[in-house]
Amino acid sequence: MRATRGEHLFYAITYTILSVLALSCLLPLVHIFAVSLSDNDAVMSGKVSFWPVQFTLESYKLLVEGTPIVRSFNNSVIITVIGTILNMIFTVMAGYPLSRKYFYGRRFFSMAIVFTMLFSAGLIPNFLLVKSLGLLDSYWSLWLPGIVSAWNLLVLRSFFENIPEELVEAARIDGCSEWGLLGRIFLPLSLPVLAALSLFYGVGHWNSFFSVLMYINDSAKHNLSVLVQNMIQSQQLLNEINHQMNMGTADDSINKITPQSIRAAGIMTMVIPMVIVYPFLQKFFVKGMLIGSIKG
């Protein structure tokens, strides 16, 4: 069926709006990337737009040698990987029984979980709880309070409920236990939604900032988000970096780096890992959200 003139107009307007929105998200990132690879004079004179001017990698060299970015990057990886694994284990372990109609108390626990989406204890009670558990200055203070997201749990439960009951009955006839059902039936069929939820959890851990500042006092355990935020807000920190790098060196290239370039390099170091990971999970992300959020 051929599209009508009104449909063509609708598609044109829709694509135009989506293109503008996409560019509004992409162009600032491209500009920051160009600044991080540009020379000091070009950055200071405002010549850098969306392409590096007088290409140089000195800002990244200064970032690695003058800041604890390698340590912070490793901390972010630890927080993200272990945190995401814990999140997925407990989300699956909670979502599976809540999806079974014969689970006693299923409705009560589901309502209790929904209640946490509407009401929370607040910042101070959460901090006092973490402190009383002795979790301060430990990554468990980041993992344990949010070990299960109520929204992600409901999405996974909805997906499990949509798995045909005939498969479950056939597996039970073959003598499959509850653990066997979960490991051989539910999890293999749930890869799209599991990948999507892993992406949600992973991005949340990678970008965690306020919780790290609140619970982690040891700067050696701070993640990449905290370091980059300190670089953006603290001019004194950037001056100390430049002073440290200029001590005992006659390399004029160090003087060609501006605070803007260092900040841009730090931001790109934090953004690039997620940009690399997302394309591999995008097809699972779209499919998993559609299947996991619609029942029927």
Side-chain angles (χ1 to χ4, degrees):
M1 180 182 295
R2 297 182 58 183
T4 63
R5 180 178 300 179
E7 290 175 335
H8 283 300
L9 179 61
F10 172 78
Y11 293 148
I13 295 175
T14 301
Y15 287 131
T16 301
I17 294 175
L18 292 177
S19 299
V20 171
L21 292 176
L23 289 176
S24 66
C25 297
L26 180 62
L27 291 182
L29 185 62
V30 174
H31 173 70
I32 293 174
F33 184 61
V35 169
S36 70
L37 297 175
S38 297
D39 182 73
N40 172 53
D41 296 333
V43 174
M44 294 298 293
S45 60
K47 296 179 179 178
V48 182
S49 56
F50 304 115
W51 192 260
V53 179
Q54 300 180 14
F55 180 85
T56 177
L57 292 174
E58 288 301 327
S59 58
Y60 290 94
K61 177 182 177 181
L62 180 59
L63 190 67
V64 172
E65 297 180 357
T67 69
I69 193 167
V70 176
R71 182 184 65 198
S72 299
F73 185 88
N74 292 335
N75 292 340
S76 290
V77 171
I78 293 173
I79 293 172
T80 302
V81 172
I82 298 180
T84 302
I85 292 174
L86 291 173
N87 290 142
M88 293 308 301
I89 290 175
F90 281 88
T91 302
V92 170
M93 296 300 294
Y96 174 73
L98 290 177
S99 68
R100 302 297 87 201
K101 296 180 180 180
Y102 50 81
F103 174 63
Y104 182 76
R106 173 174 178 261
R107 181 177 177 81
F108 168 78
F109 288 112
S110 297
M111 294 301 297
I113 292 170
V114 173
F115 182 84
T116 64
M117 299 175 63
L118 305 175
F119 304 96
S120 62
L123 181 63
I124 295 178
N126 284 332
F127 178 82
L128 294 177
L129 175 61
V130 171
K131 182 180 179 180
S132 63
L133 293 175
L135 299 179
L136 292 181
D137 267 341
S138 169
Y139 288 149
W140 283 103
S141 63
L142 309 178
W143 298 329
L144 191 58
I147 201 165
V148 173
S149 166
W151 170 258
N152 292 343
L153 175 59
L154 295 178
V155 170
L156 185 62
R157 186 200 67 173
S158 177
F159 183 89
F160 284 162
E161 288 176 344
N162 289 332
I163 293 179
E165 198 64 29
E166 291 77 8
L167 290 176
V168 178
E169 294 175 358
R172 289 193 182 280
I173 292 174
D174 291 336
C176 201
S177 63
E178 294 292 342
W179 288 105
L181 284 173
L182 179 61
R184 298 181 182 181
I185 303 296
F186 284 83
L187 292 184
L189 294 176
S190 306
L191 291 180
V193 71
L194 293 178
L197 298 184
S198 297
L199 181 62
F200 283 158
Y201 281 126
V203 171
H205 284 299
W206 183 264
N207 294 330
S208 59
F209 168 72
F210 184 73
S211 58
V212 176
L213 284 181
M214 185 166 58
Y215 299 132
I216 306 297
N217 298 319
D218 186 0
S219 59
K221 295 182 178 180
H222 284 173
N223 61 350
L224 197 56
S225 297
V226 174
L227 176 64
V228 172
Q229 181 69 15
N230 289 338
M231 291 171 55
I232 293 175
Q233 292 186 341
S234 176
Q235 182 64 39
Q236 180 181 358
L237 176 61
L238 297 176
N239 293 335
E240 291 176 356
I241 295 172
N242 278 309
H243 177 71
Q244 178 181 354
M245 294 302 298
N246 286 323
M247 289 179 58
T249 179
D251 189 359
D252 293 335
S253 63
I254 297 298
N255 297 321
K256 295 182 179 181
I257 304 303
T258 64
Q260 293 91 331
S261 299
I262 300 175
R263 292 189 184 105
I267 292 172
M268 292 309 303
T269 303
M270 187 178 68
V271 170
I272 286 176
M274 290 294 103
V275 173
I276 294 175
V277 170
Y278 181 77
F280 296 99
L281 297 177
Q282 193 222 3
K283 62 179 181 180
F284 297 110
F285 173 78
V286 176
K287 183 178 179 182
M289 286 300 96
L290 288 176
I291 297 177
S293 60
I294 300 175
K295 181 178 180 180

